[in-house]
Structure formats: C-alpha cells, structure tokens
Amino acid sequence: RVALELNSGRFQKLYSLSHSDPYRTLDGVRRTVSINYRDITQFTSAASDFSTTSAGATIDYGYPISEYQTLSFGANFQHAELISSVNSTRQAQEWVANNGNQFVEDLGGGQSILGTEFDTIELIAGWSYDSRNRSLFANRGTRQQLYLSLAIPGSDVEYYQARYNLTKYFPIARRWTVRFNAELGIGEGLNDTTALPPYKQFYGGGPQSVRGFKESYLGPRDSFGRPYGGNVLVASQLELILPMPAKFASQARASLFFDVGNVFNTGEVAFTDKLGAPIEYEPDYNDLRMSVGVGVQWLAPLGLFRFSYAYPLNEYIGNDRYFGDELERFQFSIGQAF
C-alpha cells in the first residue's frame, strides 16, 4: 500500500508519503516506512500565533500475535523548528526559551522573534486488540489500543507519551446496543526538558471528546483565555445506539450519549488567571465536564459525517478571575470511515 497525503490549509500544511507491506515475511509481519513534512501555524484554530515546522521519517513493524492482537515497534526521527512571537502564549514562549537550541530571527525595524530547533529520535511501541464484527458501525466486540513513545536520551529534547483507548459494544436486545469508549493520555518532559513540546499537548472538548463544549477549549487556558492544552487527558463516551431501518443500517447510525472528560496539567507548565495570579489545572474528579445529547453519523461518499446536539450538565460559568467554559451545543465534523 502506497499513500500520499497533501493537506494545505490556513492553519497547517501536511505532506506525507508512506509505503506499507502487510506481508513483509511469511509470518505476516507488516512493515511501514514513511516520510513527512509539517508546517503548523497554530496548535489549533483557536490558539495563539505560533509556528511549528518539522520534517521526519518513520519505520514501523507490526507483528500479529493472535487472530485479534498485534504488537508494533518502530522508530521516528524528527527535526523540528518552533518560532514564537509577541502574540504567542507566555507558556509557548517560555518553552521555546528553555528547550532545544535557541536562535533569534531579525525581522527588521527593530523587531525580532525567538525560535528553537531540535532533533529527536523517538522509539515507538504499540499493542492493539480488535474483535469487532466490523470496523464501521460495529455492534459487537472490543477494540483496545495502547501506544507508547519515548524521545531517547541524546535527543535535543526528551519526553515520553502514552495513550490508551478502549471501545466496547454491549448488545442488550435484538437491535439495541450500548457502546462504551474511553481514552486516557499522559506525557511529561524528561531530564532537562521542562515540559512536553507544545504540539504534543492533549486537547479536550468537541465532537471527538466531550460534546457540547467548544473544541479544544477544555483544560488549561493562557492569560487571554486561549487553549494551550495539557499533559493529561481523560475522556469517555457512553452511547445507546438506536435501531435503524435495515436499508439505512449500513450507512447511518443514531444514538443517545453521555460524555465526560477534561484535560489537565500536572505542574509542568505554569498558568495564571485573568489577574495574573498562579492557577493550577491538576487532575481532579470534580473538574470532569459532562454532557448528554443525541448524535447522528452518516457515511457519505466524502467520508463519515458526524452531527451532534449536546446539553452540558456542569459547565463552569467563570468570574472576574477564572475563565468559564466555552459551549457549542450543535457540532459537526467530517472524518475517515473507521
């Protein structure tokens, strides 16, 4: 399988080329080799001005250990350049000033910007288990995924990141099914690296996280109220899948859902409130956001269309010191059909 991706937009440009051989050996060992280039102007469309340019190469092997389970191992080399400006968050500026190899770029007229560049070699390991009866619109089975990455000692910046995802289907009647999904993520800087690189932070809220809350706006915010992300992610969705007429069941799905989750910071990055006083985003059960609503998925020729209308159950209003939650009851997204 050969794949070429060319993605150019206002906030990011992504180019990648990969070659995957699913039967590199007679035992069914898969090998994937890829190269990529990324030019990201912002972390998300709501974040502050920030530039991340990176280029890298990855080699990855997957080994099936049973009918449903696969182990994967690989390595990734990445060269990255991060540039902050006066419009960047203070947290991003501090990361650039304290990590990697700093440089100053003169813009003329007495203006300059601070940047940093660094090389990393990541070791990647993963485990997956998939017993679903089908990859799209499944109603039985389980899927689990665990991914670990480590920027090895000797890299210009060092960190680790782990992510776990569980999806399980519970048939409760002839045409009724309950779907449970949970996602956990954590990462930290190691040794002299002060924190995870800004582009490695987790984000919460939106169609793929806690619906009803504006995308990326859950969790740590900078002093201007813009999302920065955190190094701990907790998200879960519980859905009651509603019966559909047989002629639509392979192309559409409707459900009632209950979402819960948030993004936290364990202290790696310093944040302040509106008045400049220190504020913490430590993991706390009482800070998990919840919502209920109805969702519809439709498989169209362009991809999987997702619509949802949610009612947040415990949004934080905010006050003169702390930022309140940003709500977005109706949400729409287009994604790949997986």
Side-chain angles (χ1 to χ4, degrees):
R1 179 175 182 268
V2 177
L4 173 66
E5 179 183 5
L6 304 174
N7 188 335
S8 181
R10 178 181 177 186
F11 301 109
Q12 62 181 9
K13 296 177 176 63
L14 307 175
Y15 310 115
S16 68
L17 174 66
S18 68
H19 174 272
S20 183
D21 183 351
Y23 296 99
R24 184 62 181 173
T25 72
L26 294 177
D27 296 322
V29 173
R30 169 191 53 80
R31 187 191 70 180
T32 300
V33 179
S34 63
I35 57 175
N36 64 80
Y37 173 83
R38 302 181 181 185
D39 186 351
I40 303 176
T41 304
Q42 297 172 304
F43 310 142
T44 70
S45 60
S48 62
D49 291 340
F50 194 80
S51 175
T52 302
T53 303
S54 65
T58 303
I59 184 169
D60 178 75
Y61 288 88
Y63 183 80
I65 57 176
S66 72
E67 181 181 0
Y68 300 124
Q69 299 184 74
T70 300
L71 293 177
S72 61
F73 303 94
N76 171 55
F77 170 78
Q78 203 82 16
H79 174 79
E81 182 180 284
L82 280 62
I83 297 177
S84 62
S85 70
V86 294
N87 295 319
S88 301
T89 65
R90 180 177 60 81
Q91 291 77 17
Q93 294 182 53
E94 289 180 351
W95 195 93
V96 168
N98 292 293
N99 297 277
N101 305 301
Q102 289 75 31
F103 63 88
V104 177
E105 187 170 320
D106 187 4
L107 301 178
Q111 295 184 338
S112 62
I113 54 177
L114 177 65
T116 183
E117 60 180 358
F118 52 89
D119 296 325
T120 58
I121 299 177
E122 280 187 1
L123 298 182
I124 305 167
W127 168 77
S128 65
Y129 174 91
D130 194 345
S131 64
R132 295 173 300 167
N133 58 335
R134 49 183 174 266
S135 59
L136 182 64
F137 297 156
N139 54 23
R140 294 191 304 276
T142 302
R143 182 179 69 171
Q144 298 185 74
Q145 296 174 307
L146 174 64
Y147 294 105
L148 306 171
S149 66
L150 171 69
I152 65 173
S155 299
D156 292 331
V157 297
E158 299 175 20
Y159 56 85
Y160 79 88
Q161 196 169 46
R163 197 158 188 160
Y164 172 75
N165 181 267
L166 166 67
T167 303
K168 188 172 181 61
Y169 295 87
F170 301 90
I172 58 174
R174 182 179 178 183
R175 299 177 60 194
W176 296 78
T177 303
V178 171
R179 172 183 178 268
F180 173 75
N181 182 76
E183 185 173 12
L184 304 173
I186 185 172
E188 291 181 310
L190 299 174
N191 297 325
D192 294 333
T193 303
T194 61
L196 276 178
Y199 58 85
K200 288 282 188 178
Q201 300 287 333
F202 298 108
Y203 291 89
Q208 303 301 313
S209 180
V210 185
R211 287 162 283 192
F213 293 87
K214 192 172 181 178
E215 186 172 6
S216 302
Y217 269 84
L218 285 183
R221 309 266 283 275
D222 68 17
S223 55
F224 297 101
R226 298 171 297 197
Y228 181 80
N231 68 317
V232 174
L233 167 69
V234 179
S236 176
Q237 298 86 35
L238 184 66
E239 293 183 289
L240 175 62
I241 300 173
L242 306 177
M244 295 285 288
K247 63 179 180 179
F248 299 123
S250 63
Q251 292 184 301
R253 169 167 285 182
S255 63
L256 304 177
F257 63 80
F258 169 69
D259 291 353
V260 57
N262 210 334
V263 173
F264 304 97
N265 170 58
T266 58
E268 283 200 321
V269 182
F271 293 94
T272 60
D273 59 21
K274 295 179 182 179
L275 303 180
I279 182 175
E280 295 183 350
Y281 289 94
E282 292 280 349
D284 189 333
Y285 172 82
N286 295 321
D287 288 330
L288 293 176
R289 298 293 185 260
M290 306 177 189
S291 67
V292 295
V294 58
V296 175
Q297 299 181 34
W298 172 48
L299 181 59
L302 292 178
L304 188 63
F305 286 65
R306 300 181 181 90
F307 307 86
S308 65
Y309 186 86
Y311 181 80
L313 298 177
N314 62 341
E315 73 271 20
Y316 179 65
I317 303 301
N319 53 37
D320 59 343
R321 288 194 60 188
Y322 305 116
F323 294 100
D325 292 327
E326 300 280 347
L327 304 184
E328 197 173 64
R329 297 184 187 276
F330 175 77
Q331 293 176 325
F332 163 72
S333 66
I334 304 175
Q336 294 178 328
F338 293 107

